[in-house]
Amino acid sequence: MKLSLRIWRQPDAQAPGEMVSYEIDEVSEDASFLEMLDVLNERLISEGDDPVAFDHDCREGICGACSLVIDGQPHGPQAATTTCQLHMRKFKDGDSIDIEPYRAGAFPVIKDLVVDRSAFDRIIQAGGYISAPTGTAPDAHAVPIPKQDADAAFSAAACIGCGACVAACPNGSGMLFMGAKVTHLSLMPQGQPERATRVLGMVAAHDDAGFGGCTNTGECAAACPKEIGLDVIGKLNRDFRKAAVRAA
Amino acid sequence: MSTDFYREGAPALDTKAPAGPIAERWEKRRFSGRLVNPANRRKLRVIVVGTGLAGASAAATLGELGYRVANYCFQDSSRRAHSIAAQGGINAAKNYRNDGDSVHRLFYDTVKGGDFRSRESNVHRLAEVSTEIIDQCVAQGVPFAREYGGLLDNRSFGGAQVSRTFYARGQTGQQLLLGAYQALQRQVAAGTVDLHTRHEMLELIIVEGKARGIVVRDLVTGEISTELADAVVLATGGYGNVYFLSTNAMGCNVTAGWRAHRKGAYFANPCYTQIHPTCIPQSGEHQSKLTLMSESLRNDGRVWVPKKKGDDRHPADIPEDERDYYLERRYPAFGNLVPRDIASRAAKVVCDEGHGVGPGGLGVYLDFAGAIERLGKKAVEAKYGNLFDMYERITGENPYERPMRIYPAVHYTMGGLWVDYDLSSNIPGLFVTGEANFSDHGANRLGASALMQGLSDGYFVLPNTISDYLADGPFDALDETHEDVVAARKDVDDRISFFLNNDGDRTVDSFHRELGKIMWEYCGMERTDEGLRKAIGLIRGLKEEFYRRVKVTGKAEALNQELEKAGRVADFLELGELMCIDALHRTESCGGHFRAESQTEDGEAKRDDDNFSYVAAWEYGEDAPVLHKEALEFEYVKPTQRSYK
Amino acid sequence: MAVSGILLVLFLVAHMAGNLHVFEGREEMNEYAHGLRTLGEPLLPHESILWILRIGLIACAVVHIWSAVVLTRRALQARPVRYASKKPAKGESRHAVATMRWGAIVVFLFIIWHLLDLTFRTVNPVKDVPDAYGAVIATFSPERWPVTVFYLLALFALFFHLRHGIWSAVQTIAGPDTKWRKRTQAIGLFVALIIVLGFAIVPISVTFGLVN
């Protein structure tokens, strides 16, 4: 198939960027979206141009490195699918496709389509863990956990930290990411002792990083490639309210 | 023999494994190793390269102990290391199922599964520590699968006859890594670990015979800097990407390990690669990587090919009696659950005979029709739904209606830098953990053992053994003006400026793809003397062409993904040659290494214990590599021919 | 945002219910209006309860608007560069993306008009404050149809504002699980419909001469 691409090109963090048009031909419908970009890059290099920089690694939808906003949608048009797992058979011959980086003040562009998502790591540093130094653990069966709690915790913990929620949110909020971690850890008995300090710390780090506030539009959950739902934001709100009241 | 390709050096390296009854050795080593006073730990700096299971767990644990840790990864976040993609599970000898499991049985299975090419002492320690890993991960909040009673669920995995595999749906690696990642981030917040993401190690710094630091490139600014320390830990993963197409992440590379090898660290058993039987077949030339479908699929799926060669009917139209369920036919006892190396080669055999299905005839069916009939579609969906969805996204085919097509792909490398019982390489102060070392899996790794080894090394083994080395520290203060530091840094600068100034016309990827094809063809699932010799010649020619024609655009002082790839492919070219030499010299078949010349009458791998019961540890040589043999002794598990019939 | 919003919703419900007195005729309507002013008498001075309520209401409105301004400013800072290509929203409250902030401005402008019209009577032909009934009939009389249209337009904006705002407030304060979130969304929709229909029926009835 033949495609017209418009791709955001920006040489570095300081320089201004712009959408640049490229025509690409003979794209296999079995290729993944990133493989289509690989083919474009091979051509750009042979022509002596700078290839398009984009983040990617595992290419099987789990590392969370790939990002991209394709035609205005983080990870493109297919639901529950990361960019690396999106295949060209979802597009039609002759389509024009816009490819942009995630847009968020907390995710500054490094180059072209590559953004800096270290703000997510800072949110985790502010409390997104259970303090269990190596060697201190009791037997794994010491505390039974109801299956439904363990399953719900897993579903929240399936977050890949890709940042699509932030990219999709009209307010640039990171609440879904944060809610997923808070939900995972607060459903586990091991997570109880730090439950209040965790949520207060994480919310403060989230706000410091420059993410926007949540207005419950639900765009984050609709964009999430791992289908994490708005209930994690509900849980985050509940935990935050309780913790804030107790701290006051 | 192939001595024209290598020289043989002095045998027997000291493995430092204590003597005595095997079950007491780890205890003994922990006691005999010297300790570092907690107040002195603050004065000791340790570099950990890599943030996968082995790296993050080591960095976090060393930080908790009070060492000053500098941790590096090339990804944009430490959470993205490729351990995250492990699907199946993690083994532990808990015997929660009361089905006869024990530390000794896990030890036995692992030594046997490794086709008697691993060290008994190391494997026993791995089995012992396995139970502590599960406890540790549960304490961190890892959401393992549980039963209705609230206790942990187990499944049987990868041909094991006991249920000892703990799992978190099909994303066990992800959950274990996030546990280690969170522990690491906690230490970053506590100030004990300096974490540097988007940094790549490009050289090892050795001063007076000791590993004292690394040279790194900041992948965003391009700045080259040095990090100096008292010890260096490489937890940099495997080298499966030497095949270009593998299930590894795109960024996985051998550079850190290869740079250490060039500085004197021995590279052990490089030819032991694991080819995973259940991957989605290649669809075209554009393909950049292969995707693994969890081995657990073989628990309910049946593998078959059409009996008639080149049969291109829709699989549903092929009647039962025209299907060859070749695994069940050849291995009635284990059937579809034979270990990975056996399942992979069996698939290659039927495809080579012309029975393969799909593009190029490189695929076999993995059929769930029977399971759907027996268990119902709902139950199959609950168990494998996410894998089925992934398959459909990639291939556009619905596996509920049409059998999956699968084909083997490179998945894991058992070889790696040589380490002793303490996980120390032969360079003092250079430690190697996880897939980057060679130690525990022998010639073939069993399913659900990689996660176990990575975490065992990082949480429990290294933090205990490294103190014996660090007890001699802090070592003499160094600064960046030391001649060895300056020289290491200059090497890096020179390499980068070579690539950027080379007047070439071929992309890095085109070389990588070509290298991958050579490796897959001649050093893949089946190896021959003739093929390996040919491969060595081809790789040497390709390497010469690479330096003549490679074209790298962009500049050094910025994010430059082509430059990153160029350095990695340069190292893969050298590694590929060593792999072929290792494969050529080992004229026996064992585990993942199948030499066509060494097979039984019915086509199974035939080991040669009299001549090859050793670890091949290769020393770098400018003209030819030097082979050092570490003899393997089996006191507890006597080598037998593996049989899964 | 959520707390002030919920209080404002409660006010709307009461206001809407009170408006329905218009169907009982001039006397009952005016008596109800008078009753509001004399609430708490003779224990408390004239209009004291009414002013307490009004001050509370104004405080809620100020807090609500201030929160909206803060959230909007944060949102603008959180996305300094806009996307070049836009796709329609896909979330559970997708209508809110387009309607919440613009709708709020429409409602705000309407409230100013509404106060000048029916509270202060600045723009209402009936200046006699106790005659609430007369003022309503006058303002929605058929020849002043644009007033009715504006009123209905504001209600339309209010409907979308409430449809999202009610469940959103509950989500923020109580954080329901998925099952209860769906229920809250349904309840929010229902309450929004009741409020808006309850308000709309008065001007429509007057304009079409059903009440005079």
Side-chain angles (χ1 to χ4, degrees), chain B residues 107 206 226 316 329 339 361 487 573:
Chain B
F107 156 69
I206 297 181
T226 53
R329 172 172 58 80
L573 282 161

Side-chain angles (χ1 to χ4, degrees), chain B residues 74 80 103 114 219 293 505:
Chain B
F74 70 79
R80 308 206 200 283
V103 166
L219 300 183
M293 304 297 291
D505 58 358

Side-chain angles (χ1 to χ4, degrees), chain B residues 134-355:
Chain B
I134 300 302
D135 299 341
Q136 174 63 27
C137 295
V138 167
Q140 289 170 344
V142 171
F144 283 114
R146 285 178 184 265
E147 298 178 318
Y148 284 101
L151 299 178
L152 293 160
D153 193 14
N154 291 133
R155 62 183 172 195
S156 141
F157 196 81
Q161 290 177 310
V162 292
S163 282
R164 61 160 77 101
T165 303
F166 295 78
Y167 66 100
R169 230 168 283 178
Q171 287 152 249
T172 317
Q174 180 198 29
Q175 295 309 317
L176 295 175
L177 183 63
L178 292 181
Y181 159 77
Q182 286 160 206
L184 175 62
Q185 296 298 333
R186 177 170 163 259
Q187 292 309 303
V188 172
T192 62
V193 177
D194 284 332
L195 180 59
H196 305 269
T197 58
R198 291 200 199 263
H199 278 70
E200 181 165 24
M201 167 181 165
L202 293 177
E203 198 55 89
L204 178 70
I205 296 170
I206 297 181
V207 179
E208 287 162 9
K210 292 192 181 82
R212 291 300 306 275
I214 58 174
V215 181
V216 291
R217 179 167 181 270
D218 179 332
L219 300 183
V220 175
T221 64
E223 190 194 348
I224 305 292
S225 58
T226 53
E227 176 86 48
L228 301 172
D230 297 289
V232 177
V233 180
L234 299 186
T236 47
Y239 49 86
N241 270 350
V242 68
Y243 292 87
F244 186 68
L245 286 181
S246 79
T247 67
N248 283 6
M250 302 300 285
C252 292
N253 68 82
V254 76
T255 289
W258 193 255
R259 291 288 131 197
H261 174 60
R262 288 188 61 126
K263 287 268 170 105
Y266 295 171
F267 209 112
N269 300 335
C271 79
Y272 290 164
T273 48
Q274 180 161 79
I275 317 281
H276 198 289
T278 52
C279 301
I280 300 176
Q282 188 179 352
S283 67
E285 267 302 293
H286 52 76
Q287 190 108 14
S288 59
K289 78 153 273 159
L290 296 169
T291 302
L292 177 96
M293 304 297 291
S294 170
E295 187 157 30
S296 62
L297 290 169
R298 287 198 281 145
N299 287 337
D300 287 305
R302 295 178 71 194
V303 178
W304 63 276
V305 289
K307 279 186 181 162
K308 199 174 92 193
K309 289 181 187 178
D311 190 341
D312 54 4
R313 281 177 289 173
H314 189 284
D317 297 336
I318 301 178
E320 270 307 293
D321 60 347
E322 291 182 39
R323 299 175 175 191
D324 179 11
Y325 294 92
Y326 59 89
L327 288 178
E328 296 168 26
R329 172 172 58 80
R330 288 179 58 180
Y331 307 100
F334 280 71
N336 294 298
L337 294 174
V338 291
R340 292 174 176 178
D341 53 338
I342 293 179
S344 291
R345 225 170 46 74
K348 178 179 162 56
V349 169
V350 292
C351 290
D352 287 353
E353 286 169 1
H355 297 282

Side-chain angles (χ1 to χ4, degrees), chain A residues 71-73 98 100-101 103-105 166-167 169 171 207 210-213 215-219 230-231 234 237-238 241, chain C residues 71 74-75 78-85 87 89-93 97 101 164 167-168 171-175 178 181:
Chain A
D71 282 339
Q73 304 171 84
D98 283 356
E100 297 174 77
R103 294 291 186 200
V166 175
C169 176
N171 305 309
D207 293 356
F211 291 104
T215 61
N216 301 318
T217 64
E219 291 306 308
L230 293 182
D231 50 324
N237 287 332
R238 203 158 61 227
R241 174 174 49 79
Chain C
L71 270 171
R74 268 186 70 184
R79 175 148 308 129
V81 183
R82 317 253 100 198
Y83 288 111
S85 82
K87 265 278 139 80
K90 313 198 273 194
E92 278 180 27
S93 232
V97 177
R101 284 174 187 145
H164 174 73
W167 88 261
S168 178
Q171 165 87 344
T172 301
I173 297 168
T178 303
R181 186 177 75 253

Side-chain angles (χ1 to χ4, degrees), chain C residues 188-206:
Chain C
L189 178 62
F190 180 72
V191 174
L193 271 175
I194 294 292
I195 290 178
V196 168
L197 291 177
F199 276 121
I201 196 165
V202 173
I204 290 173
S205 303
V206 175

Side-chain angles (χ1 to χ4, degrees), chain B residues 434-480:
Chain B
E435 191 179 350
N437 73 28
F438 88 106
S439 70
D440 295 356
H441 305 299
N444 175 51
R445 181 176 66 73
L446 290 180
S449 290
L451 305 184
M452 173 170 69
Q453 186 227 337
L455 291 180
S456 156
D457 286 359
Y459 282 133
F460 297 103
V461 179
L462 180 86
N464 280 295
T465 56
I466 200 171
S467 67
D468 185 60
Y469 178 77
L470 290 173
D472 287 330
F475 300 104
D476 297 342
L478 277 182
D479 67 42
E480 300 196 350

Side-chain angles (χ1 to χ4, degrees), chain B residues 432-634:
Chain B
V432 191
T433 61
E435 191 179 350
N437 73 28
F438 88 106
S439 70
D440 295 356
H441 305 299
N444 175 51
R445 181 176 66 73
L446 290 180
S449 290
L451 305 184
M452 173 170 69
Q453 186 227 337
L455 291 180
S456 156
D457 286 359
Y459 282 133
F460 297 103
V461 179
L462 180 86
N464 280 295
T465 56
I466 200 171
S467 67
D468 185 60
Y469 178 77
L470 290 173
D472 287 330
F475 300 104
D476 297 342
L478 277 182
D479 67 42
E480 300 196 350
T481 58
H482 189 283
E483 56 178 338
D484 296 334
V485 179
V486 171
R489 201 184 151 127
K490 184 171 179 306
D491 286 347
V492 171
D493 287 334
D494 290 351
R495 229 165 21 245
I496 289 173
S497 87
F498 168 79
F499 285 127
L500 290 172
N501 294 315
N502 198 38
D503 184 24
D505 58 358
R506 264 189 78 176
T507 62
V508 177
D509 276 354
S510 73
F511 283 102
H512 195 177
R513 201 173 274 125
E514 191 172 336
L515 171 67
K517 280 185 182 152
I518 297 170
M519 294 300 293
W520 180 243
E521 181 67 26
Y522 301 110
C523 197
M525 276 188 281
E526 186 171 298
R527 296 138 184 206
T528 63
D529 183 273
E530 188 196 350
L532 289 163
R533 285 173 192 277
K534 186 171 174 195
I536 293 167
L538 288 172
I539 294 170
R540 287 179 178 171
L542 187 64
K543 184 176 151 190
E544 183 274 326
E545 189 184 342
F546 176 78
Y547 283 100
R548 197 157 40 80
R549 289 185 60 191
V550 70
K551 176 173 184 168
V552 179
T553 53
K555 51 184 183 175
E557 304 80 17
L559 180 70
N560 187 338
Q561 294 171 327
E562 285 305 301
L563 179 62
E564 295 164 25
K565 285 195 276 187
R568 295 169 191 168
V569 171
D571 292 334
F572 276 137
L573 282 161
E574 295 183 9
L575 166 77
E577 185 181 328
L578 182 67
M579 288 171 71
C580 291
I581 292 173
D582 185 41
L584 180 65
H585 111 279
R586 192 172 282 276
T587 55
E588 65 162 353
S589 294
C590 62
H593 169 64
F594 186 84
R595 279 289 295 262
E597 299 92 339
S598 178
Q599 51 183 308
T600 60
E601 278 171 12
D602 46 0
E604 300 301 334
K606 198 167 110 194
R607 282 199 326 268
D608 177 358
D609 290 334
D610 293 340
N611 292 305
F612 288 100
S613 188
Y614 62 78
V615 172
W618 296 92
E619 180 186 351
Y620 184 78
E622 275 303 333
D623 48 342
V626 182
L627 172 65
H628 299 273
K629 294 176 182 172
E630 177 209 322
L632 291 168
E633 282 157 37
F634 294 91

